Amino acid sequence: MNPGNRTPDFVRSNRRATVRRTGLVSLILGGCLLALPGAAGAQGTPIYLWEFGTSGTGPGQFDWPQSIEFDSNGDVYVSDLNNDRIQKFDAAGNYLSAFGTNGTGTGQFNAPWGFSIAPNGDIFVADTGNNRIQKFSSSHTFLGLFGNMGTGNGQFSGPRDVSVDPSGNVYVMDFNNHRVQKFTSTGTYITQWGSLGTGDGQFTFATGVCAEASGVVYVADYLNNRIQKFDTSGAFLGKWGSLGIGDGQFTDPIRIEIAPSGNVYVGDFHNHRVQEFDANGVFMRKWGSLGTASGQFDHPAGVAIAPSGLIYVVDQVNNRVQVFDEPQVGVQSNLEPATWGRIKAGYRE
């Protein structure tokens, strides 16, 4: 692939992505944890524990899992993009329930890329192909929606991610419009920032947004190969990253997770690895390589930190979620892993 011509196949499509080994593609990096003070930071390369998920349409199976996040009960949600649903599991990977089918009606989805669980348990889903945000209760009851196709205030073109801050404000990554839009919890438009470009505060098909407890909003600026930081009004605070394969470099950063320590996890999509930084963008560690073996990834997407401290990574094209432990912290899990498997060739031509 020519690094100078990396516009992905999904860029102008509001529908489902297709990945090719030659022209690489879609993304997503999972739930945004609200950072809390006092937790440990990086402790060395994480250790693979187990995984769950296989390729398919049945309960607990995936067709391109994308985003991942824990609720307040310690259960884990995964957006299942090509199956047009959100699936719920316990922390051991046992299937619990799902909601969503393909369509344009309320509670239906057309490629749900990202989602976020609000402090009160409500679930906001970026219904990408339908150019809207849908809101559900913690019991998955439809509560409302906002947005439609367009470039005006409160309109979207392929929204790829959503994040809810501690006050309940909702931030939407408006992918093809190259901007972040901010709303109240009921969908009332507040403000926006961003435009197409490479300057500070500009985006080129940005894919991830994460609003954390200290009042910082992080954006995964996908084709600019960087992470940008803003305050909650959109004022630019800083950035890091460049195109490459070295430590702290990216080849299409997909999405962002903020750990309880305040450290930032980034899914380095086309480098097939996860990188971790401190809150100022200082590189701390990385893990992963291209493959199907345990601890390897084929386009890692969402990352989430469990209440136990375990790290869950969505391995998109391998249609699985992998679970890792901290080697020095020695978090001991009493979970019994679910029956699991992995797909050997989960990509599409």
Side-chain angles (χ1 to χ4, degrees):
M1 183 177 69
N2 179 3
N5 184 20
R6 291 172 13 268
T7 303
D9 297 331
F10 63 85
V11 154
R12 301 198 183 278
S13 172
N14 291 329
R15 300 191 62 81
R16 310 176 195 196
T18 42
V19 164
R20 297 177 298 176
R21 291 286 181 178
T22 53
L24 311 178
V25 262
S26 72
L27 39 111
I28 268 178
L29 192 122
C32 178
L33 183 68
L34 300 179
L36 300 173
Q43 300 292 324
T45 303
I47 297 172
Y48 169 87
L49 293 181
W50 76 78
E51 63 192 64
F52 60 94
T54 59
S55 179
T57 61
Q61 295 183 310
F62 300 117
D63 188 355
W64 281 35
Q66 297 290 333
S67 190
I68 185 169
E69 188 163 349
F70 282 86
D71 66 15
S72 59
N73 296 319
D75 294 324
V76 61
Y77 288 74
V78 181
S79 62
D80 190 6
L81 188 148
N82 285 338
N83 284 326
D84 297 295
R85 64 187 178 185
I86 307 295
Q87 295 198 68
K88 180 181 179 180
F89 303 83
D90 67 19
N94 297 299
Y95 172 83
L96 297 176
S97 62
F99 62 98
T101 58
N102 177 253
T104 60
T106 58
Q108 294 185 308
F109 303 122
N110 184 358
W113 286 71
F115 68 95
S116 183
I117 301 176
N120 68 352
D122 289 344
I123 304 168
F124 291 80
V125 179
D127 188 4
T128 303
N130 287 325
N131 294 292
R132 63 189 183 184
I133 303 300
Q134 295 199 64
K135 180 180 178 180
F136 301 85
S137 71
S138 58
S139 59
H140 314 156
T141 300
F142 173 79
L143 297 177
L145 59 83
F146 56 95
N148 55 55
M149 178 66 179
T151 61
N153 295 345
Q155 294 185 307
F156 305 117
S157 180
R160 287 306 200 269
D161 200 10
V162 60
S163 182
V164 184
D165 70 18
S167 299
N169 296 312
V170 180
Y171 301 79
V172 179
M173 196 69 251
D174 192 3
F175 181 73
N176 289 319
N177 286 329
H178 310 285
R179 64 185 179 182
V180 175
Q181 294 197 68
K182 181 180 179 180
F183 302 84
T184 68
S185 61
T186 57
T188 299
Y189 172 84
I190 298 175
T191 190
Q192 65 177 278
W193 68 89
S195 60
L196 176 61
T198 61
D200 294 347
Q202 292 186 305
F203 308 120
T204 302
F205 299 107
T207 54
V209 62
C210 181
E212 57 95 28
S214 69
V216 175
V217 180
Y218 293 84
V219 172
D221 192 1
Y222 187 71
L223 287 189
N224 283 330
N225 290 291
R226 63 187 180 182
I227 304 301
Q228 296 197 65
K229 294 172 60 176
F230 304 87
D231 69 16
T232 56
S233 298
F236 176 79
L237 300 177
K239 64 184 178 182
W240 74 86
S242 61
L243 175 63
I245 61 174
D247 295 348
Q249 293 185 305
F250 304 112
T251 305
D252 307 326
I254 247 31
R255 215 161 271 196
I256 309 165
E257 162 79 352
I258 309 301
S261 62
N263 289 345
V264 181
Y265 290 82
V266 180
D268 192 1
F269 196 59
H270 289 132
N271 284 330
H272 309 285
R273 65 186 181 183
V274 175
Q275 295 197 66
E276 183 180 355
F277 304 84
D278 72 12
N280 296 313
V282 175
F283 173 82
M284 301 189 71
R285 62 178 174 178
K286 64 185 177 185
W287 75 97
S289 61
L290 177 60
T292 61
S294 299
Q296 292 186 307
F297 304 118
D298 193 340
H299 297 85
V303 178
I305 311 301
S308 65
L310 300 181
I311 305 167
Y312 289 60
V313 180
V314 172
D315 188 3
Q316 184 189 49
V317 179
N318 284 327
N319 287 299
R320 63 185 178 183
V321 174
Q322 296 194 63
V323 182
F324 298 85
D325 197 358
E326 293 287 1
Q328 294 181 21
V329 172
V331 176
Q332 297 298 318
S333 173
N334 59 4
L335 299 173
E336 291 295 332
T339 301
W340 53 266
R342 57 180 179 261
I343 180 171
K344 297 297 183 183
Y347 63 92
R348 302 178 178 187
E349 296 296 341

